[in-house]
Amino acid sequence: MAQAVEDWYKQMPIITRSYLTAAVVTTIGCSLEIITPYNLYLNPRLVLREYEIWRLITNFLYFRRMDLDFLFHMFFLARYCKLLEENSFRGRTADFFYMLLFGATVLTGIVLVGGMIPYVSASFARIFFLSNSLTFMMVYVWSKQNPYIHMSFLGLFTFTAAYLPWVLLGFSILVGTSPWVDLLGMIAGHAYYFLEDVYPQMTGRHPLKTPAFIKQLFADDPVVVAPLANVRFPVPAAQELHQD
């Protein structure tokens, strides 16, 4: 069992493995009181006045208590972050990192601006950690890029992946969780999807082109495509066509 878990962990792509490791270590460290969440949460005043810049990063690493909700988010982080990095962003590690950086920037900006708007500022002031929102953003982007995959929710009903964010949002409301966290993730995810997939098709422009200095940080392995001539591919089994 331990060997299987170790193999599964080592086979994760670099960004997914790094983020999952940082999230688990940070959350466990807080649970054991080795570190305190008070040094991690997003506090605009401390960032701007005390120059505690690390809070812009650490608030995305802490997933609250070590409970069922934590395991739930770790599953979604490991699953959908891995699916995006291995499929949609295969051979494009720098682009995937830039997507997460874009999402984190949008989420932080929304919270900072929302905190200055009357009537809603109180709701934004209670958002100290954006880790769940960033995870939800990845779920949203994956659902947009794989809208026709069939899924099942707790074995109760089936739906296509395009509706996955809305199903999870409805579940959060049913269990009494604030919908703000999920909604922020959906907003950031849709902003990325629109600017990366929709807007370029409309205008031919790519506003989210990954900066050169980020590309230099990652040595992506080239994706080799075999020539089609004289190559035969096996017919996939029926069940393979309906895998989640």
Side-chain angles (χ1 to χ4, degrees):
M1 180 64 179
Q3 184 62 42
V5 173
E6 182 180 355
D7 292 341
W8 170 79
Y9 177 77
K10 290 181 177 180
Q11 290 173 1
M12 281 186 175
I14 182 62
I15 300 297
T16 302
R17 185 169 66 247
S18 300
Y19 189 19
L20 182 65
T21 302
V24 171
V25 169
T26 302
T27 305
I28 292 178
C30 290
S31 298
L32 298 177
E33 299 184 355
I34 299 175
I35 53 179
T36 171
Y38 292 105
N39 291 332
L40 306 178
Y41 77 98
L42 180 62
N43 186 317
R45 182 182 62 82
L46 294 178
V47 171
L48 297 176
R49 295 183 181 180
E50 303 296 332
Y51 304 106
E52 296 184 2
I53 307 299
W54 66 83
R55 294 179 182 272
L56 297 175
I57 300 174
T58 56
N59 84 92
F60 289 100
L61 302 179
Y62 181 50
F63 282 80
R64 307 298 179 94
R65 296 179 298 273
M66 297 284 294
D67 54 11
L68 185 61
D69 184 67
F70 170 76
L71 296 177
F72 180 78
H73 281 92
M74 288 301 98
F75 168 78
F76 274 86
L77 173 60
R79 175 175 172 80
Y80 293 102
C81 188
K82 182 173 181 287
L83 285 174
L84 282 173
E85 189 172 0
E86 286 186 339
N87 298 309
S88 301
F89 292 89
R90 184 179 182 183
R92 298 190 298 131
T93 305
D95 295 338
F96 184 63
F97 177 80
Y98 189 57
M99 184 202 78
L100 295 181
L101 181 61
F102 171 83
T105 303
V106 170
L107 291 170
T108 303
I110 292 175
V111 172
L112 295 182
V113 173
M116 298 183 292
I117 300 177
Y119 304 109
V120 298
S121 59
S123 297
F124 284 100
R126 291 193 293 267
I127 300 177
F128 302 114
F129 298 96
L130 291 167
S131 48
N132 292 349
S133 297
L134 187 61
T135 301
F136 205 89
M137 173 201 169
M138 288 185 277
V139 173
Y140 186 91
V141 172
W142 179 85
S143 72
K144 282 294 186 180
Q145 295 181 348
N146 302 273
Y148 303 113
I149 293 180
H150 290 276
M151 311 189 73
S152 175
F153 183 75
L154 301 178
L156 300 177
F157 59 92
T158 59
F159 55 93
T160 57
Y163 297 99
L164 177 60
W166 300 101
V167 172
L168 296 178
L169 176 62
F171 179 74
S172 296
I173 295 175
L174 286 177
V175 298
T177 305
S178 173
W180 276 108
V181 172
D182 294 348
L183 286 172
L184 290 178
M186 293 176 70
I187 293 172
H190 191 75
Y192 178 83
Y193 167 72
F194 178 81
L195 293 175
E196 178 66 17
D197 296 330
V198 179
Y199 185 77
Q201 294 181 4
M202 296 169 54
T203 64
R205 301 174 182 175
H206 294 77
L208 291 184
K209 185 177 180 180
T210 304
F213 75 92
I214 293 182
K215 286 185 175 293
Q216 293 176 357
L217 296 176
F218 302 93
D220 290 326
D221 295 328
V223 178
V224 179
V225 180
L228 296 179
N230 299 322
V231 177
R232 295 183 178 181
F233 297 94
V235 178
Q239 60 269 25
E240 294 179 352
L241 297 176
H242 298 281
Q243 287 182 346
D244 292 342

